[in-house]
Amino acid sequence: MLAVRGLAKSWPGGDALFAQVDLAVAAGELVAILGESGAGKSTLLNIVAGLDRADAGTVEVGDTRVSALDEDGLARWRRRHVGFVFQAFHLLPYLSVAENAGLPLLLNGVPAAERRERVQAALASVGLAGRGDRRPASLSGGEMQRVAVARAVVHRPALVLADEPTGNLDETNAAATLEALRAAVKREGAAGVLVTHSPVAAAAADRVLRLAGRRLAPA
Amino acid sequence: MSAALAATLLRGSLSGNRWRSLLAAACIALGVALAGAVHTLHASALDEIDQAARVLAGAADWQVEGPRNGFDDAAYAAVASLPAVAVASPVLELDAPLASGEGTVRVLGIDPFRAARLQPGFLAGEGARGGEGATVRLDAGAAWLTPAAAARLSARPGGTLRLRGPLGEVRLAVAGLLPALDTGGPLVVMDIAAAQLAFGRVGVIHRIDLRLAPSVPREAALRAIAARLPPGVTLRRPGDEALRTAGLTRAYRVNLTALALMALFTGGFLVFSTLALQAARRRREFALLRALGLTAGGVRAFLAMEGALLGVAGALAGTALGLAASRAMLERFGYDLGAGFFAGSGRVFAPDAAALALIGGLGVATAVAAALAVTRPLSRLDVAQALKDRQVDLPAAPGGWAAPLALAAAATAAAWLPPAGEIPVGGYLSIGLALAAAVLAVAPASRALLERVPARDRPLGTLALAQVRSLPGHLAAMVSGIVVSVALTAAMAIMVHSFRLSLDGWLAGVLEADLFARASPRGDAVVFTPAVQQGLAAVPGVARVDPIRFERLTPEGAAGPLTVIARPVTPALLRGFQAQPAEVPPRAGDAVNAWVSEAAVDLLGWKAGDEVTLPLAGRRARLHVAGTFRDYSRTWGAVLLDLADYRRITGDALANDIAVHLAPGVDAAAVAAAVGRVVAGVPGAELHDASFIHARALRIFDRTFAATYALEAAAILIALAGVTSSFAALAWSRRREFGVLRHLGLTRGEVIRLLALEGGAAGLLGAGLGLAAGAAVSVVLVHVVNRQSFHWGMAIHWPAAALSVLAAAVVALCALGASAAGRAAVAREAVHAVKDDA
Ligand SMILES: Nc1ncnc2c1ncn2[C@@H]1O[C@H](COP(=O)(O)OP(=O)(O)O)[C@@H](O)[C@H]1O
Ligand SMILES: [Mg+2]
């Protein structure tokens, strides 16, 4: 599903961050990328999402060559095919939990009735059935992150990207979030990439790679 | 809080808010400048009047004063012979047009011997330049000038001064100067008998300056003098002039001041939203400081200090601006921006330090109050929450309907309060309460309104709606700012429009003749004699002439003056003056029919059916009030009498104006030309047709309100600039959210459009609530404030086109400002925006 070949990135005036990175993730597979802080994990993820440009290499998702799209093309592609989970949750405070979770459906023009149904299912799948009318501010951090997981998969994306999704959570909540993420990736048949500095979090994945010394290699 | 800490915090806030802080201070400055300028102009004008009155009165301790057209000089003889009177000096006073046509000059006719005993300055002594004699030796053709008059008229001793009188040109030889009377303003002093003769006022005087004999008890002296005075002629203190003028201009002053305070209020709002935004932005910083041990009171004190700083900066700049502006306006337009209340020369510039300090203090207080309003939600801030919280925002606007409804009810009730003096305190209170109600209604009204807007499947619209609907604190502050400025602008626009249309309709009715001749377009020295009136009536093609005579007098027991308008009263005239009832009733006994203006109703309590007396020509005339009429020409009372009645009572056959009706079917231009030739025989007299006078009155109206228009434009521009800068801050504080949206697949263009939609929605909400509040305020302005301060009844007319343009402009500018802010906010990479998580 995700095919990354020969990716290289260096910041202007800096050493190369990584080079010759290859990565293939199958549909329904969750891959963890482990690395020290500053290793370049977030940068790699952003390049995959089309939020940053690589110096060399290609990114393909399904039949789409992501690295060939222009900015607006990338935005539309993300809208349709990518789900994100951030370290700091980033729920919109003025939307209800259900509205937050349904945001990708709204952006994709899914009719309201269908939206409601799919959001309910997504919230139920992360264990938050019945919390749809609450405001994010009234949730705990763990609950917020599970809403974010629901948001990341509600539109059945081809790719689910999670950047340190447990960085702000305690162990119990971290475990619940990772379980929700893993289940969602399996259920929706998405290619999942989880980057983290925590071996504990990485253990939730099907496969663990390590980004170190400018190379991405099996851990 | 230590000074060092405060300075550190202040640096942080000012660096991030330079433009917004500047705007807020500018708004405070505008209000302070306006109020300061208005006050300085009036203080200067009153000061000049006071100075002049004092120097001319000299040692006089009382003055006898009568109607504008003067009184019989027999009263002088009667008063002067009383043992209670040590010195009595008769004065004839009129404003004579210059023969050159360039304005008027005040002419004082005095008895030099007697005048000099009260004010030796009338005797040009050692200070006199050029003339070798003294006023004592004034002959009939000689005049003495104050230095101000000499400068104004460019006249020198030895030269000739040419003035106009009702009998033709008056030529005077300039005999010398009176430097001791310089503070009296530009004056031409001549012998009273010569002046009476030259200006056709034989047997008439306007004033008697008195010094009482020290041996006689004052009460008894005053009683003895009053007993010798004819009705309508009264005793007063020399200093009363300034007080009376102050009374006449109070309405005008109070209204301009109210306008200034409204600018100040808007300024307060800008301060509030500036500080609110900045408090929101720095919420985490404040939370951190709290966590580090700064008390909630410390944070409050800091914000209050910041508000005070903005207020002081605004107040200082505003005071300087107000002083500079009033000085410049004095030089260019005189004391009242050309509105015609003051005849002064504009030479006195007398800022009133105490009042200016008060106005400046009000500016500072407004800013501090705004700052304290910000600190209220901040003190409820949960430190732990705020430290964790990623969202930078004030707590959502509070709000049910209880507070706004209670305020609206109080506003309605306040409108019925009686005025204090002539100041419509109830009206202003009502306006203030209505605005407060509108501001508090922002949150509940937006919820009620937006809840009904169906959420469509359009993503941007839905997101924008959700943001505006949840109305975070600073969006609420911003909408409130829009509400206040739109409300004030709309209210003024509705009031001015209603007034203009009412005036327009009134003029059309009042100007029912074809041509109008005026003997003294400036001053009052020239009048139409019966010969001229008959000459006009005899012009072929003229169907009828209506001579009009004006008199100004003070009814017994009244505080202010009353204008008497004497002219032939016909049903058509009554309809034109919107009289109620508009028909001439049969005469009741020997009482004369009179119609009284709305101001006379308000000020004197006269109403249709009353029997009243008026001191006319030294006699008490009994009048039957037949009805009321509308008079947009003056803010004091007026009485309309039939000319025949007036002449029978007074024996005064002169006329100030003449309305000329043409016969049907005549060549109007030719007849007008023939009428013009007769009028031209009266030096300085003017002839215009009704349409010219109509247009000129509207032109003057527009000029008077031009300052208002300019102020409104300034207020709304500043408010919109404030909105734009608020949106910039809002967009900045939401850049993380925009980063998320871009991760979720929104393009930059869509984020900008999202903000434009939000801006438009906020603008629409603000404009809608503002228009509603403005309509309510305008009703109070028209029916309470105007009625109580100017005593003019008028109907409300809605300027639909102007209000639509206003609303559309506000919505468009909000959308534009917001999208500009959005452009700046998404210029950075989305990746950075979401990355601040450590
Ligand atoms: N826009 C940028 N410009 C320059 N250097 C950057 C930029 N973004 C990230 N870096 C650098 O790249 C390195 C990797 O960053 P990042 O991908 O965020 O690491 P990780 O997510 O593994 O902690 C860091 O040293 C960081 O300083
Ligand atoms: Mg990272």
Side-chain angles (χ1 to χ4, degrees):
Chain A
M1 184 62 94
L2 167 68
V4 172
R5 289 186 203 93
L7 220 53
K9 176 75 181 177
S10 55
W11 292 112
D15 290 340
L17 201 54
F18 48 77
Q20 287 302 322
V21 165
D22 296 320
L23 171 66
V25 183
E29 184 186 22
L30 180 63
V31 172
I33 297 178
L34 198 59
E36 305 284 297
S37 184
K41 308 180 297 292
S42 294
T43 306
L44 176 58
L45 210 61
N46 288 333
I47 291 172
V48 170
L51 288 161
D52 214 331
R53 296 271 177 193
D55 300 334
T58 60
V59 176
E60 278 173 28
V61 177
D63 302 332
T64 309
R65 177 170 269 227
V66 177
S67 39
L69 294 173
D70 66 6
E71 206 191 282
D72 281 2
L74 280 170
R76 277 187 287 274
W77 168 75
R78 266 199 310 274
R79 183 184 310 182
R80 184 68 208 87
H81 299 290
V82 185
F84 258 106
V85 182
F86 306 94
Q87 177 176 350
F89 326 142
H90 288 314
L91 301 180
L92 302 191
Y94 52 89
L95 298 181
S96 68
V97 163
E99 285 168 330
N100 265 293
L103 203 50
L105 299 179
L106 178 69
L107 294 182
N108 283 305
V110 174
E114 184 185 343
R115 217 156 63 210
R116 211 167 313 123
E117 234 166 75
R118 284 171 67 177
V119 167
Q120 257 171 21
L123 285 178
S125 73
V126 295
L128 289 173
R131 307 278 176 91
D133 290 332
R134 305 257 300 258
R135 294 270 149 179
S138 71
L139 299 183
S140 73
E143 288 169 328
M144 283 198 230
Q145 194 63 307
R146 279 184 281 143
V147 176
V149 169
R151 178 177 69 184
V153 297
V154 71
H155 55 312
R156 302 195 182 113
L159 193 58
V160 174
L161 305 174
D163 191 347
E164 306 274 10
T166 57
N168 283 10
L169 299 177
D170 61 56
E171 280 159 41
T172 319
N173 276 308
T177 297
L178 288 170
E179 183 41 45
L181 180 65
R182 186 185 159 81
V185 164
K186 301 285 169 206
R187 190 175 65 247
E188 307 297 345
V193 180
L194 158 72
V195 310
T196 177
H197 67 275
S198 150
V200 180
D206 299 318
R207 189 149 60 90
V208 181
L209 305 173
R210 177 177 287 279
L211 182 61
R214 293 195 245 159
R215 287 278 183 279
L216 183 63
Chain B
M1 179 167 35
S2 77
L5 176 58
T8 313
L9 288 176
L10 209 58
R11 206 173 48 215
S13 76
L14 288 181
S15 70
N17 285 278
R18 210 165 301 140
W19 286 108
R20 253 188 330 282
S21 305
L22 208 66
L23 266 172
C27 223
I28 295 281
L30 189 73
V32 168
L34 191 61
V38 168
H39 192 87
T40 302
L41 282 176
H42 284 83
S44 301
L46 296 181
D47 210 54
E48 175 174 327
I49 292 171
D50 196 45
Q51 281 182 23
R54 246 176 310 140
V55 68
L56 293 181
D61 44 13
W62 287 87
Q63 290 177 326
V64 169
E65 225 200 24
R68 174 74 168 272
N69 291 340
F71 55 95
D72 193 330
D73 62 6
Y76 166 67
V79 167
S81 63
L82 286 171
V85 175
V87 186
S89 167
V91 181
L92 179 87
E93 187 173 17
L94 38 85
D95 291 317
L98 304 180
S100 61
E102 292 154 7
T104 64
V105 67
R106 172 147 297 188
V107 176
L108 288 189
I110 55 161
D111 176 337
F113 275 126
R114 298 176 191 281
R117 287 181 62 191
L118 294 173
Q119 170 50 280
F122 277 115
L123 277 183
E126 58 263 276
R129 276 165 284 163
E132 83 282 22
T135 28
V136 184
R137 289 209 257 136
L138 270 179
D139 60 55
W144 289 72
L145 307 186
T146 57
R152 240 267 305 277
L153 309 172
S154 359
R156 249 176 302 153
T160 312
L161 181 64
R162 292 162 55 231
L163 303 174
R164 283 170 179 162
L167 312 173
E169 193 173 290
V170 177
R171 288 172 148 269
L172 298 168
V174 180
L177 300 183
L178 300 171
L181 298 187
D182 197 24
T183 45
L187 293 172
V188 172
V189 177
M190 58 189 291
D191 180 72
I192 186 166
Q196 287 174 328
L197 204 60
F199 290 97
R201 303 288 209 275
V202 173
V204 173
I205 54 175
H206 291 97
R207 208 173 69 218
I208 308 171
D209 290 344
L210 295 178
R211 177 145 197 92
L212 303 185
S215 53
V216 182
R218 206 179 65 177
E219 286 307 312
L222 294 178
R223 239 177 297 120
I225 296 168
R228 300 276 179 116
L229 298 177
V233 180
T234 50
L235 272 166
R236 64 175 174 87
R237 287 292 224 173
D240 288 356
E241 176 94 21
L243 274 179
R244 266 189 318 165
T245 311
L248 280 185
T249 58
R250 189 167 49 207
Y252 177 76
R253 235 167 341 134
V254 165
N255 280 284
L256 271 180
T257 308
L259 198 64
L261 292 183
M262 289 178 185
L264 207 58
F265 191 61
T266 316
F269 244 93
L270 263 181
V271 172
F272 170 73
S273 75
T274 301
L275 294 182
L277 278 164
Q278 98 124 342
R281 248 176 81 168
R282 307 176 72 200
R283 194 170 167 213
R284 263 210 280 181
E285 179 186 330
F286 288 138
L288 179 66
L289 289 168
R290 292 278 311 280
L292 295 181
L294 190 64
T295 61
V299 173
R300 261 206 305 279
F302 167 70
L303 273 172
M305 188 184 74
E306 215 169 55
L309 266 181
L310 284 179
V312 167
L316 286 179
T319 305
L321 186 69
L323 284 175
S326 54
R327 170 119 240 186
M329 285 191 285
L330 268 182
E331 268 156 29
R332 288 205 48 194
F333 306 112
Y335 292 120
D336 56 1
L337 313 181
F341 288 121
F342 296 116
S345 60
R347 91 211 116 71
V348 177
F349 180 66
D352 173 355
L356 289 179
L358 187 74
I359 293 168
L362 218 55
V364 177
T366 308
V368 172
L372 288 177
V374 172
T375 63
R376 229 168 34 101
L378 213 64
S379 59
R380 291 199 304 262
L381 177 110
D382 179 334
V383 177
Q385 276 300 323
L387 275 176
K388 246 186 0 205
D389 195 352
R390 308 273 149 196
Q391 183 62 21
V392 185
D393 195 7
L394 281 183
W401 282 105
L405 284 181
L407 282 173
T412 313
W416 267 273
L417 288 179
E422 276 186 81
I423 297 174
V425 278
Y428 287 123
L429 185 64
S430 170
I431 290 174
L433 289 171
L435 288 177
V439 165
L440 287 185
V442 164
S446 66
R447 246 164 253 143
L449 283 175
L450 296 177
E451 231 115 72
R452 284 177 220 300
V453 179
R456 301 261 164 65
D457 290 333
R458 296 214 195 81
L460 293 187
T462 308
L463 278 175
L465 196 62
Q467 162 78 10
V468 179
R469 197 184 266 161
S470 84
L471 203 70
H474 31 284
L475 195 55
M478 207 155 63
V479 173
S480 303
I482 302 174
V483 168
V484 170
S485 56
V486 168
L488 290 176
T489 308
M492 290 304 289
I494 296 167
M495 195 270 279
V496 171
H497 183 73
S498 303
F499 193 179
R500 199 177 189 282
L501 285 192
S502 299
L503 176 67
D504 197 19
W506 182 79
L507 284 169
V510 167
L511 298 170
E512 34 101 63
D514 300 288
L515 299 170
F516 292 85
R518 169 155 286 186
S520 291
R522 285 162 293 275
D524 57 359
V526 182
V527 287
F528 291 124
T529 57
V532 175
Q533 298 168 32
Q534 281 147 22
L536 277 179
V539 171
V542 169
R544 194 179 100 217
V545 298
D546 290 348
I548 306 171
R549 181 65 168 149
F550 295 108
E551 171 65 302
R552 192 148 133 193
L553 44 80
T554 308
E556 281 160 299
L562 186 73
T563 291
V564 176
I565 307 166
R567 59 187 297 178
V569 173
T570 61
L573 184 82
L574 290 178
R575 275 195 303 279
F577 273 98
Q578 304 178 9
Q580 309 244 330
E583 66 236 23
V584 187
R587 191 177 295 274
D590 62 343
V592 167
N593 281 324
W595 287 262
V596 301
S597 69
E598 291 169 309
V601 173
D602 288 359
L603 296 173
L604 298 169
W606 293 356
K607 54 187 189 305
D610 283 359
E611 300 285 324
V612 299
T613 61
L614 214 57
L616 281 174
R619 275 186 294 277
R620 280 189 191 83
R622 277 189 57 216
L623 307 177
H624 167 76
V625 180
T628 60
F629 71 98
R630 191 152 279 177
D631 179 17
Y632 288 145
S633 304
R634 27 192 95 69
T635 59
W636 58 92
V639 170
L640 176 65
L641 296 179
D642 188 64
L643 185 72
D645 290 330
Y646 176 81
R647 288 187 168 170
R648 199 164 31 73
I649 296 167
T650 62
D652 170 11
L654 301 173
N656 300 89
D657 292 4
I658 298 176
V660 180
H661 298 261
L662 303 189
V666 297
D667 176 355
V671 180
V675 168
R677 280 190 291 279
V678 177
V679 171
V682 179
E686 258 179 20
L687 179 72
H688 291 297
D689 63 12
S691 66
F692 174 88
I693 296 176
H694 192 143
R696 184 177 60 185
L698 288 181
R699 222 170 28 244
I700 292 172
F701 177 91
D702 289 337
R703 200 182 53 207
T704 312
F705 279 97
T708 315
Y709 298 141
L711 270 170
E712 276 174 39
I716 204 139
L717 277 181
I718 290 189
L720 284 174
V723 165
T724 306
S725 78
S726 303
F727 254 112
L730 194 58
W732 183 90
S733 75
R734 288 170 65 197
R735 69 206 185 292
R736 233 173 266 125
E737 172 193 334
F738 300 146
V740 174
L741 288 173
R742 297 212 38 226
H743 273 80
L744 294 183
L746 240 52
T747 64
R748 275 177 213 268
E750 283 168 329
V751 172
I752 293 168
R753 244 177 298 147
L754 171 67
L755 261 172
L757 272 174
E758 287 179 12
L764 200 63
L765 194 62
L769 287 171
L771 283 182
V777 170
S778 75
V779 171
V780 176
L781 278 177
V782 166
H783 290 309
V784 180
V785 172
N786 257 298
R787 176 71 208 210
Q788 290 178 4
S789 53
F790 297 115
H791 311 290
W792 293 327
M794 58 180 86
I796 293 219
H797 300 274
W798 305 100
L803 293 182
S804 319
V805 169
L806 173 67
V810 165
V811 173
L813 286 172
C814 284
L816 271 179
S819 68
R823 220 170 289 276
V826 294
R828 287 177 46 168
E829 285 302 323
V831 182
H832 290 277
V834 293
K835 196 174 110 165
D836 60 333
D837 29 347

